[in-house]
Amino acid sequence: MRPDDERDYEEYVARALPGLRRVAHLLCGDPHRADDIVQTALTRLYLHWRRARAADDLDRYVRRILVRSFLNERRLSWARVRLTGAPADTPDPPATDPSDVETRTVLRAALERVPPKQRAVLVLRFLCDLPVAEVAAVLGCSEGNVKSQTARGLARLRALLGDRAPTLEEG
């Protein structure tokens, strides 16, 4: 890689890393696995940096790599190993009041029990606030598939959460 490309890559990663770690953590629910997924995604990005820089939307391109890394990682048998603890620098949105922490904890626990593809759709749609078309582009599927996965994922979350479900709307 040329020095200019190397510098651009390093600047992009420095800027995007907190967001990538947050999305990966939301996808897998484990900060250690999230770090592994981000590392895999950034390695792939490095290998294809010139192509990535030429993309219309670099952030979308990288999100797609990240989500694909998560979905591929789920297929590996070692992914079933659970580690405990959390790195001190795992980004988490600040809580504005104590009930937000409880809601987030309950929602994350339920989200971990949603199938991986539905979880990816829900995280991208509601936690990353991406439109249906962009989620479809990231996942490489149709908008109809995103809508049906959203509906199924929300139904699964509602079933898991019962009357503790925060307001989640399709759209």
Side-chain angles (χ1 to χ4, degrees):
M1 191 181 288
R2 292 189 330 228
D4 287 346
D5 289 340
E6 187 89 27
R7 186 183 67 249
D8 290 345
Y9 171 81
E10 289 172 3
E11 288 173 3
Y12 176 79
V13 169
R15 179 176 52 78
L17 188 60
L20 294 173
R21 291 186 71 216
R22 180 172 180 265
V23 170
H25 188 216
L26 290 168
L27 286 169
C28 69
D30 180 328
H32 301 288
R33 286 183 42 225
D35 285 342
D36 290 343
I37 291 166
V38 169
Q39 182 61 45
T40 299
L42 291 177
T43 300
R44 288 183 181 150
L45 177 63
Y46 183 83
L47 294 173
H48 303 287
W49 179 244
R50 283 191 179 192
R51 185 178 346 151
R53 282 187 40 193
D56 292 336
D57 185 343
L58 180 58
D59 291 330
R60 181 188 307 173
Y61 187 96
V62 175
R63 266 194 307 269
R64 184 176 184 146
I65 293 172
L66 182 71
V67 171
R68 291 287 183 198
S69 296
F70 163 70
L71 293 173
N72 289 338
E73 185 262 356
R74 295 289 302 165
R75 294 183 195 121
L76 301 173
S77 61
W78 74 268
R80 293 181 185 87
V81 174
R82 288 285 188 211
L83 302 174
T84 58
D89 60 346
T90 299
D92 209 9
T96 54
D97 73 49
S99 66
D100 285 346
V101 173
E102 181 181 348
T103 300
R104 231 183 9 252
T105 302
V106 168
L107 188 56
R108 277 192 182 154
L111 194 57
E112 286 181 30
R113 296 177 59 197
V114 172
K117 288 184 182 177
Q118 291 174 8
R119 186 179 332 147
V121 169
L122 294 177
V123 166
L124 293 173
R125 284 282 292 126
F126 298 106
L127 301 173
C128 295
D129 200 28
L130 299 181
V132 172
E134 191 165 336
V135 174
V138 167
L139 295 174
C141 64
S142 70
E143 290 182 26
N145 192 337
V146 170
K147 291 176 184 179
S148 67
Q149 292 293 320
T150 300
R152 288 184 191 122
L154 288 175
R156 177 77 174 133
L157 269 180
R158 286 183 185 114
L160 290 167
L161 293 171
D163 43 336
R164 295 191 337 175
T167 304
L168 297 173
E169 297 178 15
E170 298 176 52

